[in-house]
Amino acid sequence: MFGLLKRLAGRRDAHAPQRWVVVDVETSGFDLAQHGLISIGAVAMRADGRVLPGESLDIVYRQDEASSRENILVHGIGVQAQSQGADPAEATHRFLDFIGVSPILAFHAPFDRGFLARAVKVYVNQPFDNPWLDLAELAPALDPKPGLKALDEWLGHYQINVSSRHSAASDAFATALLAARLLPEARRQGASTFRAMQKMARQAKWLNA
């Protein structure tokens, strides 16, 4: 309930600071109908592109049954960590409290959004209508280099060095560093608001479809 009140209060505050949140998730697989959420990583940033490492979130969801060995090799969250994770309802409340009304950024956002939306519906049953921006669509709209698709490729293109990868928290931070490079360029190209960046990304996706 506190998370919902915070979100409603944020909507009424027209002068709230432009805090955006970058998210990444780890799951037990790629199929939303069959697999579940393992962990959420998130880090806040300002609309001007300044990343706020001190405002971050790293949650592991408690699993009744640990994911497969092959899956664990991908995200590194072992059987014990999964069995001792946070209660799913509590973890989802913490996530909603962290994001508040902030716009959300992710790389390949539909994947993250799908698993998070289902968790919110199942465990909390509160509104989850934050606007989303897919950096996998925005990046080629701003810099249409051929063949750059994966997050690692874009990080390499901009010479962004990160110490670790392939956990939700570290991938969210890496994505935030990429966003910090993209947002000023988006403004330089005329997309000065979150909504304008969404439109730019969608138009580029349609043109390249």
Side-chain angles (χ1 to χ4, degrees), residues 8 12 15 19 24 45 57 91 105 128 158 170 188 192:
L8 292 175
R12 290 195 298 267
H15 303 290
R19 175 183 183 267
D24 187 81
M45 66 184 304
L57 185 72
L105 302 87
F128 184 54
Y158 287 112
S170 61
R188 191 187 70 80
S192 59

Side-chain angles (χ1 to χ4, degrees), residues 18 20 43-53 55 176 179-180 183-184 187:
Q18 287 191 292
W20 298 1
V43 60
M45 66 184 304
R46 295 298 184 195
D48 62 4
R50 182 164 62 95
V51 181
L52 306 173
E55 292 186 40
L183 300 189
R187 290 186 170 84

Side-chain angles (χ1 to χ4, degrees), residues 165-184:
R165 282 289 316 282
H166 305 303
S167 71
S170 61
D171 284 0
F173 183 67
T175 304
L177 295 179
L178 175 62
R181 295 294 298 270
L182 296 177
L183 300 189

Side-chain angles (χ1 to χ4, degrees), residues 66-156:
S67 59
S68 68
R69 180 177 180 274
E70 292 76 13
N71 178 250
I72 291 173
L73 291 174
V74 173
H75 52 63
I77 303 172
V79 174
Q80 183 175 5
Q82 292 187 38
S83 66
Q84 296 178 354
D87 172 78
E90 177 187 345
T92 307
H93 274 292
R94 285 175 57 194
F95 169 70
L96 290 175
D97 285 342
F98 181 79
I99 63 170
V101 296
S102 299
I104 301 175
L105 302 87
F107 197 90
H108 294 312
F111 179 84
D112 304 83
R113 186 177 190 174
F115 278 92
L116 289 168
R118 187 179 66 178
V120 171
K121 181 175 178 60
V122 170
Y123 298 120
V124 180
N125 197 27
Q126 288 184 8
F128 184 54
D129 53 6
N130 301 59
W132 283 71
L133 175 63
D134 190 352
L135 296 181
E137 295 178 358
L138 182 64
L142 297 170
D143 189 2
K145 300 289 184 182
L148 296 181
K149 294 183 178 180
L151 176 58
D152 282 327
E153 292 174 330
W154 283 104
L155 293 174

